[in-house]
Amino acid sequence: MGVIKVSVRGHAVEYFPGQEERFDFPADKPLTIRQMLDILGVNPLLIMMANVNGVKRSKDYTITAGDEVLLFSPPSGG
Amino acid sequence: MNGYAGHILRVNLTKRTHTISPLPEDLARDYLGGRGFVAKLMWDEIPQGADPLGPDNKIIAAPGPLTGVFLPGSGKLEFGAKSPASGGYGDSNIGGHISPEIKYAGFDALIIEGVATEPVMLVIEDHNIEIRPASEYWGKGALESEAMLKNDLGEDFQIATIGPAGENLVYFACISHDFGRQAGRTGVGAVMGSKKLKAIAVKGTKSVPLADTKATIEVGKKMFEACFEKPGFEEWTPQGTAGVTDWVNEVGAFPTRNFKSGYFPKHQFINGEQIVTQIKVTDKACYSCPIPCGKYSHAKTPKYDVHVEGPEYETIALIGGNTEIDNIKDCAYANYICDELGLDSISAGNVIGFAMECYEKGVIKGEDIDGRTLNFGSVDDFVWLANDIAYRKGVGNVLAEGVKTASEKFGEDTARFAIQVKGVEWSGYEARYAPAMMLSYITCDVGAHHNRSWAITYDVASGRDVMEGKAQRTIELQHIRPLFDMLCLCRLQWVELGFELDWYPQIFKAVTGREFSFEELLGFSERIWNLTRCYSLREIEGFGRSFDYPPARFMEEPITDGPTEGKFMPRESIDYLLDDYYKLRGWDNNGIPSQAQLSKMKLEFAEPVIAPLRK
């Protein structure tokens, strides 16, 4: 079984298990970012945007082992 | 005192005199700097009952102990004055480069009092202080006058100006600096205008003593490196705060059509991607910032050709969503108009959205506005009204005092949709389905501003129907975020990159030699939160719980569409939140701090004023 490398930028990291901003997510089959967040117990609405392998993707994009996923917290105004 | 320039500059515009005095050690010890200095000096020095636009009010500008030091985001300045918008405590912070310049000129605070008889500017070059005539700049736009002053004084002066809105005492006039940064809220620009003070120009060449120079450099360097190593560091800058536009719509919190809705169907046309692809020229940073959020833009159509810093998220929300201007170039143009006039773009978008609804409902009639129109979605209508507000013409003269005063004059139940708290217009987050965010707005010490506590992700994570726990979180944030305003640091590294708060006690110790945990630093912030409450209790007759409610629209009218359609926050929910909040704060049921709380906060000096207010 491979892993998806996940990074979380910003304050939403406090809602992730262990509050880790970088972690490996075990992936035995493809799944969407939204499904991964559900498994992690994180409300997908806490994530503003996602990049997969450096490309902006929706939360419904399918990811698989070996992918690098960057999840963005929403900025809090200007 | 390490970390401090060591002096306060006091300027009396009536007498055209100035004095330079040593920074009192107890002020630095107990109030740290920035917002702390502003709050304490306002309490001590502005006479009770002073007219916010009269000679007794004072403008206080204060950097903090970490201002100008080599660490991320050390370029913030706090302005404060009794607010013409609320009649109570007012402050607003600003980025750019003027805060370190004040410190390098040798000052930890500027106190400006009195009223000049003709337009003047204050020129500070280290300890050489001059009050100079400024009639040639009076009447010019904020951006134009800054450019003129840079040309006349030299590029190495840092300059804060007001525009026509400040000169004409508009209650939401801002102080502008660095061609696009503003101390926007609570009407500090109007206070400057009331003193006939067009500009403050500063150039400093001094240094600031550090407790441990080697440690300061080492910790500061590590802080920068920690920023650079954050996941997605390089992805922050391209869009800046505008990058959040789509998400705020996704959670149904985007102010739309004078806060009727939390969702703007055309939000994709005014988001961060549109800035990048259509108008951005370059990124623009404040002093010592590794993550520039400023976007310097060029918007050009057959109707206009303007350069502007922005629009950032709040401007997009209030000008874009709230008045339904649905393309990024028009938003940038309206942003430019506000910046040049010296209007806070948050309040301007809120006020003009209110006026558009009044026009739609027939409260403002065609004959009231010389046959012109005032339609949602029209940038032309936005621009003419912004000008009329800044110059106080016609209905603009009524709106120049904000939606609270305007609704009192218009009558006809318009207070229902005058979206403000304590006389200050609501900023960029619809909160009818976000209890902690709602509580953050209604209890904010300067009125409906997001700066003190931003809690929407907490609402999403903890349940948007859940009321329990929201007061506790709001209070935590109301101590963390204003602490940044006491130290005069930008908070974006923390909240946007996830930069650890533990860094700040380390750098504070290296700079000042004083050792505190972060929790202990928060204690200073809690003291100021209680002091600003006391200030408004002292200044506003009948101040208390009744000033902590949102407008009726939020308590009675369901959101019209989008993801939060049908949601509103009934008064009993607001009461639950306030009861919980006051109890946790050690305040009574009317929102008045108890004697024990004042004692705990070392604010015993306020007790004689507050005691008679308790029932």
Side-chain angles (χ1 to χ4, degrees):
Chain A
M1 183 167 64
V3 297
I4 296 167
K5 292 196 167 300
V6 182
S7 303
V8 186
R9 188 198 76 191
H11 57 94
V13 71
E14 71 176 284
Y15 304 111
F16 280 73
Q19 302 188 348
E20 296 287 337
E21 63 183 18
R22 290 185 173 88
F23 59 91
D24 291 341
F25 180 83
D28 56 0
K29 61 180 181 181
L31 77 173
T32 67
I33 293 169
R34 194 178 299 277
Q35 288 169 330
M36 179 182 74
L37 291 168
D38 284 340
I39 292 168
L40 289 167
V42 176
N43 186 334
L45 278 177
L46 292 169
I47 297 304
M48 176 183 80
M49 189 178 98
N51 276 7
V52 179
N53 303 322
V55 180
K56 183 183 173 184
R57 300 293 187 190
S58 82
K59 285 177 258 190
D60 295 313
Y61 185 77
T62 299
I63 50 178
T64 190
D67 283 339
E68 293 187 9
V69 179
L70 176 56
L71 304 171
F72 295 84
S73 310
S76 60
Chain B
M1 278 174 284
N2 291 313
Y4 296 91
H7 296 93
I8 288 178
L9 171 63
R10 181 183 303 274
V11 175
N12 188 305
L13 296 174
T14 305
K15 299 175 183 171
R16 296 182 79 95
T17 58
H18 75 271
T19 56
I20 295 171
S21 55
L23 174 69
E25 284 194 29
D26 56 349
L27 184 66
R29 183 190 66 217
D30 296 339
Y31 298 90
L32 299 187
R35 168 176 151 86
F37 283 7
V38 163
K40 185 60 164 56
L41 291 168
M42 282 177 63
W43 177 273
D44 287 346
E45 295 212 2
I46 299 174
Q48 185 172 356
D51 175 358
L53 298 176
D56 289 339
N57 199 4
K58 303 189 183 193
I59 298 167
I60 298 160
L66 302 185
T67 298
V69 176
F70 173 67
L71 74 150
S74 62
K76 286 280 193 173
L77 178 70
E78 197 78 358
F79 277 103
K82 185 176 181 181
S83 169
S86 70
Y89 178 79
D91 72 25
S92 192
N93 74 63
I94 190 168
H97 296 76
I98 195 168
S99 192
E101 206 72 25
I102 291 172
K103 197 116 171 252
Y104 298 154
F107 300 109
D108 299 301
L110 314 179
I111 303 172
I112 302 169
E113 53 196 30
V115 174
T117 53
E118 59 187 27
V120 294
M121 60 179 171
L122 174 62
V123 180
I124 301 168
E125 193 168 0
D126 291 335
H127 280 198
N128 299 311
I129 313 300
E130 284 187 71
I131 300 168
R132 295 187 191 173
S135 294
E136 66 187 287
Y137 309 104
W138 197 258
K140 306 289 187 190
L143 303 172
E144 182 185 7
S145 54
E146 184 175 358
M148 289 171 71
L149 284 160
K150 282 270 187 184
N151 188 52
D152 295 347
L153 297 174
E155 281 286 335
D156 46 359
F157 273 87
Q158 296 298 330
I159 293 160
T161 62
I162 57 169
E167 296 172 10
N168 295 315
L169 313 183
V170 174
Y171 285 14
F172 46 96
C174 57
I175 298 174
S176 305
H177 162 59
D178 209 21
F179 300 103
R181 292 276 156 178
Q182 288 87 19
R185 311 246 58 202
T186 74
V188 287
V191 180
M192 208 160 138
S194 73
K195 298 184 178 306
K196 289 196 164 47
L197 179 62
K198 179 66 178 180
I200 303 168
V202 191
K203 180 179 169 184
T205 61
K206 297 174 182 292
S207 59
V208 176
L210 303 172
D212 186 335
T213 303
K214 187 178 174 193
T216 300
I217 293 169
E218 283 177 356
V219 176
K221 183 165 180 273
K222 284 178 184 172
M223 291 175 80
F224 275 105
E225 289 168 350
C227 280
F228 300 148
E229 289 166 5
K230 283 293 174 188
F233 162 78
E234 65 284 357
E235 304 288 345
W236 156 257
T237 293
Q239 296 186 20
T241 60
V244 80
T245 306
D246 291 349
W247 180 83
V248 183
N249 279 277
E250 187 181 1
V251 297
F254 193 67
T256 303
R257 207 173 179 87
N258 195 32
F259 288 86
K260 272 190 175 174
S261 175
Y263 180 78
F264 186 37
K266 295 180 179 177
H267 65 88
Q268 292 97 338
F269 301 117
I270 55 172
N271 64 11
E273 285 186 12
Q274 298 300 325
I275 291 178
V276 171
T277 57
Q278 289 200 53
I279 59 173
K280 187 170 94 167
V281 177
T282 188
D283 302 313
K284 185 166 174 283
C286 299
Y287 179 89
S288 199
C289 175
I291 51 168
C293 66
K295 308 300 131 206
Y296 198 69
S297 301
H298 181 202
K300 184 178 180 182
T301 72
K303 275 199 303 193
Y304 52 78
D305 183 353
V306 298
H307 287 83
V308 63
E309 181 177 341
E312 44 72 62
Y313 169 73
E314 292 293 330
T315 302
I316 287 173
L318 274 304
I319 290 179
N322 206 49
T323 71
E324 296 197 324
I325 292 175
D326 62 3
N327 74 82
I328 198 65
K329 287 186 179 179
D330 283 352
C331 284
Y333 174 48
N335 188 169
Y336 165 81
I337 294 294
C338 289
D339 286 3
E340 184 70 322
L341 293 170
L343 290 169
D344 168 27
S345 59
I346 294 174
S347 282
N350 184 313
V351 168
I352 293 175
F354 168 79
M356 287 172 168
E357 184 165 351
C358 286
Y359 178 72
E360 192 175 66
K361 287 180 157 62
V363 176
I364 297 175
K365 299 178 176 61
E367 60 262 33
D368 298 330
I369 51 176
D370 298 329
R372 292 174 293 191
T373 56
L374 201 43
N375 292 318
F376 283 104
S378 168
V379 72
D380 292 336
D381 290 352
F382 185 102
V383 168
W384 79 250
L385 185 53
N387 274 284
D388 277 16
I389 288 170
Y391 290 97
R392 283 183 170 268
K393 292 180 183 170
V395 75
N397 188 41
V398 178
L399 294 163
E401 296 182 1
V403 294
K404 181 172 184 285
T405 302
S407 69
E408 288 164 2
K409 291 182 178 170
F410 291 155
E412 299 189 45
D413 205 26
T414 53
R416 163 177 294 278
F417 56 88
I419 311 300
Q420 56 80 33
V421 178
K422 301 177 181 70
V424 173
E425 288 75 23
W426 203 282
S427 64
Y429 303 92
E430 154 63 57
R432 268 174 281 189
Y433 194 40
M437 194 70 232
M438 175 68 80
L439 189 60
S440 300
Y441 272 119
I442 62 180
T443 59
C444 176
D445 58 357
V446 295
H449 191 29
H450 62 284
N451 160 288
R452 305 296 200 255
S453 166
W454 186 89
I456 293 189
T457 45
Y458 179 73
D459 281 319
V460 170
S462 60
R464 297 175 77 169
D465 291 308
V466 175
M467 298 291 148
E468 295 78 13
K470 302 300 164 90
Q472 181 64 47
R473 181 58 169 167
T474 299
I475 290 169
E476 287 168 8
L477 290 169
Q478 285 176 341
H479 295 165
I480 296 172
R481 294 169 74 101
L483 177 62
F484 282 86
D485 301 335
M486 296 177 73
L487 302 174
C488 286
L489 300 177
C490 180
R491 65 180 183 275
L492 293 192
Q493 286 79 18
W494 159 59
V495 72
E496 320 302 15
L497 289 184
F499 193 62
E500 290 79 5
L501 292 169
D502 293 345
W503 284 107
Y504 295 102
Q506 294 179 53
I507 194 72
F508 187 82
K509 181 187 175 190
V511 171
T512 68
R514 301 175 71 192
E515 188 164 3
F516 296 106
S517 66
F518 191 75
E519 286 299 319
E520 288 169 331
L521 287 173
L522 291 182
F524 289 92
S525 190
E526 183 179 7
R527 172 183 297 156
I528 302 308
W529 196 267
N530 282 270
L531 179 56
T532 60
R533 184 75 177 184
C534 289
Y535 185 88
S536 291
L537 282 162
R538 186 182 79 175
E539 298 300 323
I540 303 173
E541 188 177 354
F543 188 80
R545 186 183 186 108
S546 64
F547 285 69
D548 292 339
Y549 283 85
R553 166 159 289 169
F554 285 180
M555 294 189 285
E556 297 170 7
E557 296 179 21
I559 293 172
T560 54
D561 56 358
T564 48
E565 181 178 351
K567 301 295 183 184
F568 65 102
M569 195 163 293
R571 190 177 180 93
E572 52 265 38
S573 296
I574 301 290
D575 280 330
Y576 177 91
L577 292 168
L578 286 176
D579 287 346
D580 200 16
Y581 178 88
Y582 294 154
K583 187 177 172 187
L584 289 167
R585 279 227 170 268
W587 298 357
D588 70 14
N589 199 39
N590 194 27
I592 300 175
S594 67
Q595 184 175 8
Q597 177 66 8
L598 292 182
S599 178
K600 183 179 167 191
M601 293 295 107
K602 297 188 171 70
L603 297 173
E604 292 91 345
F605 58 80
E607 177 61 16
V609 174
I610 301 304
L613 304 176
R614 298 191 197 102
K615 289 178 182 170

